[in-house]
Protein backbone atom coordinates (compact mmCIF):
# COMPACT_ATOMS: atom_id res chain seq x y z
CA UNK A 1 0.00 0.00 0.00
CA UNK A 2 1.13 3.57 -0.66
CA UNK A 3 2.93 5.09 2.34
CA UNK A 4 0.96 8.35 2.09
CA UNK A 5 -2.33 6.42 2.04
CA UNK A 6 -1.23 4.13 4.85
CA UNK A 7 -0.24 7.16 6.89
CA UNK A 8 -3.51 9.08 6.49
CA UNK A 9 -5.56 5.92 7.16
CA UNK A 10 -3.53 5.23 10.30
CA UNK A 11 -3.95 8.80 11.55
CA UNK A 12 -7.69 9.02 10.83
CA UNK A 13 -8.25 5.62 12.46
CA UNK A 14 -7.09 7.22 15.75
CA UNK A 15 -10.35 9.20 15.87
CA UNK A 16 -13.12 7.71 18.05
CA UNK A 17 -15.55 5.49 16.16
CA UNK A 18 -13.31 5.42 13.10
CA UNK A 19 -11.85 2.03 12.16
CA UNK A 20 -9.43 1.39 9.28
CA UNK A 21 -12.32 0.74 6.91
CA UNK A 22 -14.01 4.07 7.66
CA UNK A 23 -10.59 5.80 7.65
CA UNK A 24 -10.01 4.50 4.12
CA UNK A 25 -13.42 5.83 3.05
CA UNK A 26 -12.56 9.23 4.58
CA UNK A 27 -9.18 9.20 2.81
CA UNK A 28 -10.92 8.53 -0.53
CA UNK A 29 -13.21 11.45 0.18
CA UNK A 30 -10.21 13.68 0.95
CA UNK A 31 -8.75 12.62 -2.40
CA UNK A 32 -11.87 13.90 -4.17
CA UNK A 33 -11.81 17.19 -2.25
CA UNK A 34 -10.18 20.30 -3.64
CA UNK A 35 -6.67 20.78 -2.14
CA UNK A 36 -7.81 24.20 -0.86
CA UNK A 37 -10.75 22.57 0.95
CA UNK A 38 -8.41 20.06 2.58
CA UNK A 39 -6.26 23.01 3.62
CA UNK A 40 -9.26 24.68 5.24
CA UNK A 41 -10.18 21.50 7.07
CA UNK A 42 -6.70 20.85 8.44
CA UNK A 43 -6.28 24.54 9.35
CA UNK A 44 -9.59 24.46 11.27
CA UNK A 45 -8.38 21.38 13.18
CA UNK A 46 -4.99 22.89 14.04
CA UNK A 47 -6.38 26.32 14.91
CA UNK A 48 -8.99 24.76 17.15
CA UNK A 49 -6.44 22.63 18.99
CA UNK A 50 -3.85 25.39 19.30
CA UNK A 51 -5.92 28.49 19.96
CA UNK A 52 -9.05 27.39 21.81
CA UNK A 53 -9.31 28.65 25.40
CA UNK A 54 -11.55 28.05 28.35
CA UNK A 55 -13.78 30.86 29.57
CA UNK A 56 -12.27 32.12 32.84
CA UNK A 57 -15.75 32.46 34.34
CA UNK A 58 -17.71 29.39 33.22
CA UNK A 59 -15.08 26.99 31.80
CA UNK A 60 -16.92 26.80 28.46
CA UNK A 61 -14.81 26.63 25.30
CA UNK A 62 -14.05 30.12 24.07
CA UNK A 63 -11.98 32.08 21.57
CA UNK A 64 -11.45 34.84 24.10
CA UNK A 65 -11.03 35.23 27.86
CA UNK A 66 -14.82 35.34 28.35
CA UNK A 67 -17.05 33.05 26.26
CA UNK A 68 -19.74 34.70 24.06
CA UNK A 69 -22.46 33.75 26.58
CA UNK A 70 -20.68 35.20 29.62
CA UNK A 71 -19.77 38.30 27.61
CA UNK A 72 -23.36 38.83 26.41
CA UNK A 73 -24.92 41.66 28.51
CA UNK A 74 -28.45 40.46 27.67
CA UNK A 75 -27.96 37.16 29.53
CA UNK A 76 -29.25 36.88 33.08
CA UNK A 77 -26.14 36.47 35.25
CA UNK A 78 -28.14 35.67 38.37
CA UNK A 79 -29.02 32.18 37.07
CA UNK A 80 -26.29 29.60 36.49
CA UNK A 81 -26.93 26.26 34.81
CA UNK A 82 -24.35 23.64 35.75
CA UNK A 83 -23.55 21.12 33.02
CA UNK A 84 -21.07 18.32 32.59
CA UNK A 85 -19.57 19.25 29.23
CA UNK A 86 -19.49 21.75 26.39
CA UNK A 87 -21.96 19.84 24.24
CA UNK A 88 -24.57 20.10 26.99
CA UNK A 89 -24.31 23.91 26.69
CA UNK A 90 -25.03 23.55 22.96
CA UNK A 91 -27.99 21.21 23.66
CA UNK A 92 -29.55 23.66 26.10
CA UNK A 93 -28.83 26.67 23.86
CA UNK A 94 -30.59 24.87 21.00
CA UNK A 95 -33.82 24.84 23.02
CA UNK A 96 -33.77 28.71 23.03
CA UNK A 97 -35.56 28.48 26.38
CA UNK A 98 -32.75 29.51 28.69
CA UNK A 99 -31.40 33.01 29.15
CA UNK A 100 -29.08 32.51 32.11
CA UNK A 101 -25.38 31.66 32.05
CA UNK A 102 -23.62 28.31 32.33
CA UNK A 103 -20.93 26.59 34.32
CA UNK A 104 -19.12 23.68 32.68
CA UNK A 105 -17.81 21.18 35.23
CA UNK A 106 -15.69 19.27 32.73
CA UNK A 107 -16.98 15.89 33.88
CA UNK A 108 -18.81 14.20 36.74
CA UNK A 109 -17.53 12.54 39.91
CA UNK A 110 -16.58 8.99 38.96
CA UNK A 111 -14.45 7.00 41.40
CA UNK A 112 -14.28 4.16 38.83
CA UNK A 113 -12.52 6.45 36.37
CA UNK A 114 -10.53 8.17 39.12
CA UNK A 115 -12.38 11.48 38.75
CA UNK A 116 -12.87 13.17 42.11
CA UNK A 117 -14.47 16.53 43.03
CA UNK A 118 -11.08 18.26 42.76
CA UNK A 119 -10.86 17.29 39.08
CA UNK A 120 -14.01 19.30 38.33
CA UNK A 121 -14.35 23.09 38.19
CA UNK A 122 -16.32 23.27 41.45
CA UNK A 123 -14.05 25.77 43.21
CA UNK A 124 -14.41 28.19 40.29
CA UNK A 125 -18.20 27.93 40.70
CA UNK A 126 -17.97 28.64 44.45
CA UNK A 127 -15.68 31.60 43.74
CA UNK A 128 -18.22 32.99 41.27
CA UNK A 129 -21.01 32.58 43.84
CA UNK A 130 -18.89 34.18 46.60
CA UNK A 131 -18.48 37.22 44.35
CA UNK A 132 -22.26 37.70 44.67
CA UNK A 133 -25.11 38.24 42.25
CA UNK A 134 -26.02 34.59 41.68
CA UNK A 135 -29.51 33.80 42.92
CA UNK A 136 -30.23 30.41 41.37
CA UNK A 137 -28.16 27.38 40.43
CA UNK A 138 -29.74 24.76 38.16
CA UNK A 139 -28.02 21.37 38.09
CA UNK A 140 -28.47 19.89 34.60
CA UNK A 141 -26.45 16.69 34.89
CA UNK A 142 -27.01 13.18 33.54
CA UNK A 143 -29.24 10.85 35.57
CA UNK A 144 -26.46 8.27 35.82
CA UNK A 145 -25.06 7.17 39.17
CA UNK A 146 -22.09 9.49 38.55
CA UNK A 147 -24.36 12.40 37.65
CA UNK A 148 -26.54 11.91 40.73
CA UNK A 149 -23.47 11.63 42.95
CA UNK A 150 -22.23 14.92 41.52
CA UNK A 151 -25.64 16.56 42.06
CA UNK A 152 -25.55 15.39 45.68
CA UNK A 153 -21.98 16.60 46.23
CA UNK A 154 -22.50 20.02 44.66
CA UNK A 155 -25.85 20.63 46.38
CA UNK A 156 -24.12 19.89 49.71
CA UNK A 157 -21.36 22.36 48.91
CA UNK A 158 -23.92 24.97 47.85
CA UNK A 159 -26.02 24.52 51.01
CA UNK A 160 -23.60 26.89 52.78
CA UNK A 161 -24.20 29.65 50.21
CA UNK A 162 -27.00 31.78 51.62
CA UNK A 163 -29.67 33.16 49.31
CA UNK A 164 -28.87 30.76 46.45
CA UNK A 165 -31.73 28.57 45.26
CA UNK A 166 -30.49 25.16 44.07
CA UNK A 167 -32.55 22.96 41.73
CA UNK A 168 -32.08 20.06 39.33
CA UNK A 169 -33.81 19.78 35.97
CA UNK A 170 -36.95 17.63 36.06
CA UNK A 171 -36.61 13.87 35.77
CA UNK A 172 -39.44 11.96 34.12
CA UNK A 173 -40.63 10.43 30.88
CA UNK A 174 -39.26 12.24 27.84
CA UNK A 175 -41.59 13.57 25.15
CA UNK A 176 -42.21 10.89 22.55
CA UNK A 177 -41.12 8.10 24.94
CA UNK A 178 -43.36 5.14 25.53
CA UNK A 179 -44.10 4.24 29.13
CA UNK A 180 -43.55 0.65 28.09
CA UNK A 181 -39.84 1.25 27.57
CA UNK A 182 -39.20 3.36 30.67
CA UNK A 183 -37.53 1.68 33.64
CA UNK A 184 -39.23 1.27 37.04
CA UNK A 185 -37.12 3.96 38.73
CA UNK A 186 -38.05 6.58 36.14
CA UNK A 187 -41.74 5.65 36.26
CA UNK A 188 -41.76 5.68 40.07
CA UNK A 189 -40.05 9.08 40.11
CA UNK A 190 -42.41 10.46 37.44
CA UNK A 191 -45.43 9.24 39.44
CA UNK A 192 -44.09 10.77 42.63
CA UNK A 193 -43.40 14.11 41.01
CA UNK A 194 -46.66 14.27 39.05
CA UNK A 195 -47.72 17.74 37.96
CA UNK A 196 -51.28 19.08 38.08
CA UNK A 197 -53.02 19.29 34.70
CA UNK A 198 -54.07 22.91 34.29
CA UNK B 1 -20.66 29.03 20.27
CA UNK B 2 -16.92 29.61 19.94
CA UNK B 3 -15.93 30.47 16.36
CA UNK B 4 -12.98 28.05 16.43
CA UNK B 5 -15.25 25.22 17.62
CA UNK B 6 -17.97 26.13 15.14
CA UNK B 7 -15.38 26.15 12.38
CA UNK B 8 -13.86 22.75 13.13
CA UNK B 9 -17.32 21.19 13.58
CA UNK B 10 -18.45 22.66 10.24
CA UNK B 11 -15.34 21.37 8.46
CA UNK B 12 -15.45 17.87 9.97
CA UNK B 13 -19.17 17.61 9.19
CA UNK B 14 -18.25 17.80 5.49
CA UNK B 15 -16.78 14.30 5.74
CA UNK B 16 -19.07 11.47 4.58
CA UNK B 17 -21.08 9.87 7.38
CA UNK B 18 -20.15 12.65 9.81
CA UNK B 19 -23.03 14.84 11.03
CA UNK B 20 -22.66 17.84 13.33
CA UNK B 21 -23.12 15.65 16.40
CA UNK B 22 -20.30 13.29 15.41
CA UNK B 23 -18.20 16.27 14.30
CA UNK B 24 -18.55 17.76 17.78
CA UNK B 25 -17.47 14.45 19.32
CA UNK B 26 -14.44 14.37 17.01
CA UNK B 27 -13.62 18.00 17.92
CA UNK B 28 -13.73 17.10 21.63
CA UNK B 29 -11.36 14.22 20.91
CA UNK B 30 -9.01 16.57 19.03
CA UNK B 31 -9.07 18.83 22.10
CA UNK B 32 -7.83 15.94 24.26
CA UNK B 33 -5.10 15.03 21.78
CA UNK B 34 -1.56 16.31 22.11
CA UNK B 35 -0.99 19.33 19.76
CA UNK B 36 1.87 17.38 18.14
CA UNK B 37 -0.49 14.47 17.41
CA UNK B 38 -2.99 16.86 15.83
CA UNK B 39 -0.12 18.22 13.76
CA UNK B 40 0.76 14.71 12.58
CA UNK B 41 -2.86 14.02 11.66
CA UNK B 42 -3.36 17.23 9.67
CA UNK B 43 0.06 16.81 7.99
CA UNK B 44 -0.89 13.26 6.93
CA UNK B 45 -4.14 14.58 5.44
CA UNK B 46 -2.46 17.43 3.54
CA UNK B 47 0.47 15.31 2.36
CA UNK B 48 -1.88 12.62 1.13
CA UNK B 49 -4.01 15.11 -0.80
CA UNK B 50 -1.10 17.08 -2.23
CA UNK B 51 1.47 14.39 -2.99
CA UNK B 52 -0.40 11.18 -3.82
CA UNK B 53 -0.06 10.01 -7.41
CA UNK B 54 -1.62 7.38 -9.60
CA UNK B 55 0.51 4.48 -10.82
CA UNK B 56 1.15 5.08 -14.53
CA UNK B 57 0.66 1.38 -15.23
CA UNK B 58 -2.31 0.27 -13.09
CA UNK B 59 -3.93 3.52 -11.86
CA UNK B 60 -3.57 2.40 -8.23
CA UNK B 61 -2.71 5.08 -5.66
CA UNK B 62 1.03 5.43 -5.36
CA UNK B 63 3.76 7.57 -3.84
CA UNK B 64 5.91 7.09 -6.93
CA UNK B 65 5.48 6.68 -10.69
CA UNK B 66 4.94 2.93 -10.30
CA UNK B 67 2.95 1.58 -7.35
CA UNK B 68 4.66 -0.88 -4.98
CA UNK B 69 2.80 -3.82 -6.55
CA UNK B 70 3.73 -2.96 -10.16
CA UNK B 71 7.31 -2.26 -9.05
CA UNK B 72 7.61 -5.59 -7.22
CA UNK B 73 9.63 -8.01 -9.42
CA UNK B 74 8.20 -11.04 -7.58
CA UNK B 75 4.65 -10.32 -8.81
CA UNK B 76 3.35 -12.19 -11.84
CA UNK B 77 2.89 -9.53 -14.53
CA UNK B 78 1.11 -11.92 -16.89
CA UNK B 79 -2.07 -11.90 -14.75
CA UNK B 80 -4.04 -8.69 -14.29
CA UNK B 81 -6.96 -8.37 -11.88
CA UNK B 82 -9.34 -5.57 -12.83
CA UNK B 83 -11.00 -3.82 -9.90
CA UNK B 84 -13.27 -0.84 -9.50
CA UNK B 85 -11.39 1.08 -6.83
CA UNK B 86 -8.30 1.24 -4.65
CA UNK B 87 -9.96 -0.38 -1.64
CA UNK B 88 -10.70 -3.48 -3.73
CA UNK B 89 -6.94 -3.86 -4.26
CA UNK B 90 -6.51 -3.77 -0.47
CA UNK B 91 -9.32 -6.32 0.02
CA UNK B 92 -7.75 -8.77 -2.45
CA UNK B 93 -4.22 -8.16 -1.09
CA UNK B 94 -5.52 -8.98 2.38
CA UNK B 95 -6.45 -12.50 1.21
CA UNK B 96 -2.73 -13.15 0.41
CA UNK B 97 -3.97 -15.48 -2.33
CA UNK B 98 -3.15 -13.40 -5.38
CA UNK B 99 0.29 -12.82 -6.83
CA UNK B 100 -0.58 -11.06 -10.06
CA UNK B 101 -0.88 -7.32 -10.69
CA UNK B 102 -3.96 -5.07 -10.68
CA UNK B 103 -5.70 -2.55 -12.85
CA UNK B 104 -7.86 0.05 -11.11
CA UNK B 105 -10.70 1.29 -13.34
CA UNK B 106 -11.65 4.15 -11.04
CA UNK B 107 -15.35 3.28 -11.18
CA UNK B 108 -17.90 1.30 -13.13
CA UNK B 109 -20.07 2.26 -16.11
CA UNK B 110 -23.13 4.01 -14.72
CA UNK B 111 -25.34 5.97 -17.13
CA UNK B 112 -27.41 7.11 -14.15
CA UNK B 113 -24.37 8.86 -12.66
CA UNK B 114 -23.12 9.93 -16.07
CA UNK B 115 -20.09 7.61 -15.98
CA UNK B 116 -19.32 6.20 -19.42
CA UNK B 117 -16.53 3.86 -20.59
CA UNK B 118 -14.34 6.86 -21.47
CA UNK B 119 -14.36 7.96 -17.81
CA UNK B 120 -12.70 4.69 -16.77
CA UNK B 121 -9.09 3.70 -17.32
CA UNK B 122 -9.94 1.14 -20.02
CA UNK B 123 -7.64 2.53 -22.71
CA UNK B 124 -4.69 2.31 -20.34
CA UNK B 125 -5.55 -1.39 -19.82
CA UNK B 126 -5.72 -2.02 -23.58
CA UNK B 127 -2.38 -0.20 -24.03
CA UNK B 128 -0.82 -2.43 -21.38
CA UNK B 129 -2.19 -5.54 -23.10
CA UNK B 130 -1.02 -4.32 -26.53
CA UNK B 131 2.51 -4.03 -25.11
CA UNK B 132 2.35 -7.83 -24.64
CA UNK B 133 3.11 -10.22 -21.80
CA UNK B 134 -0.42 -10.31 -20.32
CA UNK B 135 -1.96 -13.78 -20.52
CA UNK B 136 -4.95 -13.56 -18.21
CA UNK B 137 -7.36 -10.83 -17.18
CA UNK B 138 -9.56 -11.45 -14.12
CA UNK B 139 -12.57 -9.16 -13.78
CA UNK B 140 -13.23 -8.65 -10.04
CA UNK B 141 -16.11 -6.17 -10.12
CA UNK B 142 -19.23 -5.82 -8.01
CA UNK B 143 -22.25 -7.91 -8.97
CA UNK B 144 -24.41 -4.80 -9.32
CA UNK B 145 -26.08 -3.88 -12.62
CA UNK B 146 -23.30 -1.32 -13.17
CA UNK B 147 -20.61 -3.89 -12.38
CA UNK B 148 -22.10 -6.49 -14.70
CA UNK B 149 -22.46 -3.90 -17.48
CA UNK B 150 -18.79 -3.04 -17.07
CA UNK B 151 -17.80 -6.73 -17.12
CA UNK B 152 -19.77 -7.14 -20.36
CA UNK B 153 -18.25 -4.02 -21.94
CA UNK B 154 -14.68 -4.84 -21.02
CA UNK B 155 -14.95 -8.50 -22.01
CA UNK B 156 -16.21 -7.35 -25.46
CA UNK B 157 -13.26 -4.97 -25.81
CA UNK B 158 -10.86 -7.71 -24.72
CA UNK B 159 -12.31 -10.25 -27.17
CA UNK B 160 -10.14 -8.69 -29.88
CA UNK B 161 -6.96 -9.28 -27.87
CA UNK B 162 -5.61 -12.64 -28.98
CA UNK B 163 -4.09 -15.03 -26.47
CA UNK B 164 -5.60 -13.30 -23.45
CA UNK B 165 -7.84 -15.42 -21.22
CA UNK B 166 -10.67 -13.36 -19.67
CA UNK B 167 -12.52 -14.50 -16.55
CA UNK B 168 -14.67 -13.07 -13.76
CA UNK B 169 -14.40 -14.04 -10.12
CA UNK B 170 -16.91 -16.70 -9.03
CA UNK B 171 -20.40 -15.60 -8.05
CA UNK B 172 -22.25 -17.67 -5.44
CA UNK B 173 -23.09 -17.92 -1.78
CA UNK B 174 -20.44 -16.33 0.44
CA UNK B 175 -18.85 -18.31 3.28
CA UNK B 176 -20.88 -17.87 6.43
CA UNK B 177 -23.98 -16.80 4.47
CA UNK B 178 -27.28 -18.51 5.02
CA UNK B 179 -29.13 -19.74 1.94
CA UNK B 180 -32.24 -18.33 3.53
CA UNK B 181 -31.00 -14.79 3.09
CA UNK B 182 -29.64 -15.17 -0.44
CA UNK B 183 -31.73 -13.79 -3.31
CA UNK B 184 -33.18 -16.01 -6.08
CA UNK B 185 -30.71 -14.81 -8.72
CA UNK B 186 -27.71 -15.70 -6.57
CA UNK B 187 -29.14 -19.11 -5.64
CA UNK B 188 -30.05 -19.85 -9.26
CA UNK B 189 -26.55 -18.87 -10.42
CA UNK B 190 -24.92 -20.87 -7.62
CA UNK B 191 -26.99 -23.95 -8.58
CA UNK B 192 -26.11 -23.56 -12.22
CA UNK B 193 -22.40 -23.22 -11.52
CA UNK B 194 -22.26 -26.02 -8.95
CA UNK B 195 -18.79 -27.49 -8.40
CA UNK B 196 -18.04 -31.18 -7.95
CA UNK B 197 -17.24 -32.26 -4.38
CA UNK B 198 -13.83 -33.92 -4.47
Amino acid sequence: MSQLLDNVVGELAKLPGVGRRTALRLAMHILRMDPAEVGEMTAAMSDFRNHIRYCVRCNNLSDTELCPICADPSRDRSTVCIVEQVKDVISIENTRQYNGVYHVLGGVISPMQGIGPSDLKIDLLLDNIARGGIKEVILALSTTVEGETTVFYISRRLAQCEGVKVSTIARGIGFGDELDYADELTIAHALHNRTAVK
Side-chain angles (χ1 to χ4, degrees), chain A:
Chain A
M1 185 143 98
S2 142
Q3 207 53 53
L4 288 166
L5 177 62
D6 197 43
N7 213 9
V8 75
V9 167
E11 288 293 333
L12 291 172
K14 288 179 185 170
L15 293 170
V18 179
R20 284 189 72 85
R21 222 187 162 89
T22 306
L24 185 61
R25 196 158 58 91
L26 296 180
M28 289 303 143
H29 180 84
I30 288 172
L31 196 61
R32 283 191 298 270
M33 282 166 74
D34 194 77
E37 285 182 309
V38 177
E40 279 165 30
M41 185 178 287
T42 56
M45 290 166 69
S46 306
D47 285 348
F48 173 68
R49 180 62 190 89
N50 297 325
H51 303 305
I52 197 79
R53 299 167 65 176
Y54 292 92
C55 173
V56 293
R57 197 181 286 162
C58 76
N59 194 38
N60 190 6
L61 287 181
S62 176
D63 301 344
T64 44
E65 196 170 276
L66 275 186
C67 77
I69 295 172
C70 284
D72 184 349
S74 74
R75 307 286 300 218
D76 169 18
R77 298 242 181 94
S78 70
T79 310
V80 179
C81 180
I82 301 183
V83 294
E84 183 182 335
Q85 48 190 338
V86 175
K87 68 178 181 189
D88 300 328
V89 173
I90 298 170
S91 298
I92 296 177
E93 282 297 286
N94 285 342
T95 69
R96 298 172 186 274
Q97 298 287 314
Y98 179 69
N99 194 41
V101 292
Y102 294 92
H103 187 85
V104 180
L105 288 178
V108 280
I109 297 168
S110 171
M112 293 288 280
Q113 288 177 53
I115 303 171
S118 59
D119 297 312
L120 309 178
K121 290 279 174 186
I122 296 173
D123 288 339
L124 179 62
L125 172 70
L126 293 170
D127 288 349
N128 289 340
I129 291 172
R131 231 176 277 128
I134 295 173
K135 290 180 194 148
E136 184 172 3
V137 168
I138 303 166
L139 289 150
L141 303 179
S142 301
T143 44
T144 55
V145 174
E146 290 82 5
E148 296 286 5
T149 305
T150 312
V151 166
F152 181 75
Y153 179 85
I154 293 179
S155 60
R156 276 297 170 97
R157 292 282 300 265
L158 294 180
Q160 62 199 9
C161 305
E162 264 177 72
V164 178
K165 212 174 105 186
V166 181
S167 59
T168 69
I169 52 168
R171 313 305 194 186
I173 315 290
F175 285 97
D177 276 4
E178 288 181 55
L179 209 70
D180 221 23
Y181 291 94
D183 62 295
E184 290 88 349
L185 208 62
T186 301
I187 298 178
H189 182 94
L191 263 177
H192 221 259
N193 292 272
R194 59 194 178 275
T195 51
V197 178
K198 283 158 206 162

